[in-house]
Amino acid sequence: MRIVFMGTPEFSVPTLMDIIGQGHEVVAAYTQPPRPAGRGMAETRSPVHEKAERFGIPVFTPKSLRNSEAQDIFASLDADVAVVVAYGLILPPGVLEAPRDGCLNLHASLLPRWRGAAPIQRAVMAGDGETGIMVMRMEEGLDTGPVCMAERLAIGPDETAGSVHDRLSALGGDLMVRALGALERGALNSVPQADAGVTYAAKIDKAEARIEWSRPASEVHNHIRGLSPFPGAWCEMEIGGKPERVKILRSTLGTSSGAAEGEPGAVLGDDLSVACGNGAIRIIELQRAGKKPMSAEEFGRGAQKPVRILA
C-alpha cells in the first residue's frame, strides 16, 4: 500500500519500522519540525525524522496543516492510507479525507478511557491495573473515531510510565501492520466507541510534578511512577544541611519495618521510607540535581546525613 506516515517521538518509530518491514511503500513521513534540545540547545530532529531519512523517505515538517498549500501537497502524495502515531498536530478535514482509505491512528489507551495527549502517564497516575493500544479510524473529534483493533496490557503495581510506554510502543507496531493487512484485504472492520467511560488525558503540566506527601501512600506512589522518567516527580530534600531538588523515579508501597509513623514527608529510616498522609512509600530510585539516577542504596552510601524532606 502507498502510506503516508505521521509521527514524531520515539514511541512512533517501531510502527514505522514494522510498516517498512512488511514491504509497504512509505511515500512520505510527516513529523514535528526540528527543535532546540540538550544543553547546547542545538536544533534537533525528531526520532521519526532521523529514521525516515535513513530509509530515503521524504520528510515533511509543516508547522500547520490548516492552509490550502499544505493540504494540496498532502493530497498530491496519492496515498492509500495515512498512519498516525503521536504526530502532534491536528489533522483538518482536507487531510483526513485525502487518502483513499482514510487515516488510521494508533492510540495508547483503551478508548474511550484516556482520550488525549498523555494516556500512558494518566493511566499509571490513576492507578489503572490495565491499559492497551488501539487502532482507530480518525475523524474530526479528539480520539473519538471507531476502533478497528485492540490489544490489552496489564500494568504492574510498581511499573513506571516509561516501562508501559516501551511495551505499548512495540505492541503497537505489530497491531498496526495487522490492521493494514486487513485493510488491504478489505476486511478491516470498526466499532464505534462506547458513550460511557469517557475520560481525558490532559497534557502533563510541570506544575503537577511536585510530590504532595499529605496524599495517601497509594496516590503518592502512582504519582511517582506515572511521571517516571519524564518529567519526574520531585521534592525538596535537605541533605547535609543544604536544600536540594530531587526527582523520585521509582518507589514501592510500605516500609521495611511495616510501620508508617510520622508526619507526611518524614523520612522513617535509612531505607528511605517516607510517611504519607495515610501509609508510607519506600523510595527505590532517585536523581539528585545534575547527577545520574541512582538507587536508594547508592544514595544512602554517598549522601551526607541527616536527610530530611522539606514541605
Side-chain angles (χ1 to χ4, degrees), residues 19 116 212 231 255 286:
I19 289 171
E212 297 179 18
T255 69
L286 67 164

Side-chain angles (χ1 to χ4, degrees), residues 171 206 223:
L171 195 61
K206 288 185 178 181
H223 181 244

Side-chain angles (χ1 to χ4, degrees), residues 16-41:
L16 175 60
M17 292 297 92
D18 285 353
I19 289 171
I20 294 171
Q22 288 295 311
H24 294 291
E25 181 186 4
V26 181
V27 296
Y30 276 71
T31 189
Q32 290 286 295
R35 290 195 169 93
R39 291 189 176 182
M41 297 302 286

Side-chain angles (χ1 to χ4, degrees), residues 213 215-221 224 251-269 271-283:
W213 298 104
R215 295 164 65 184
S218 60
E219 293 182 13
V220 173
H221 174 56
I224 289 169
S251 62
T252 191
L253 289 173
T255 69
S256 59
S257 64
E261 299 175 357
E263 293 296 317
V267 178
L268 302 176
D271 65 351
L272 286 188
S273 292
V274 183
C276 301
N278 180 14
I281 63 104
R282 180 164 57 87
I283 296 171

Side-chain angles (χ1 to χ4, degrees), residues 11 15 84-86 104-120 131-138 142-145 147 149-151 168-169 172 175-176 193 199-201:
F11 183 85
T15 302
V84 184
V85 187
L104 297 180
N105 176 239
L106 190 69
H107 186 76
S109 81
L110 295 175
L111 294 167
R113 184 164 176 79
W114 302 127
R115 293 173 178 171
I120 297 173
T131 187
I133 196 138
M134 290 182 158
V135 174
M136 69 173 184
R137 288 192 175 275
M138 295 185 71
L142 177 64
D143 299 328
T144 58
V147 174
M149 287 186 173
E151 288 282 356
L168 286 178
S169 178
L175 187 67
M176 182 57 78
Q193 293 184 35
T199 58
Y200 289 94

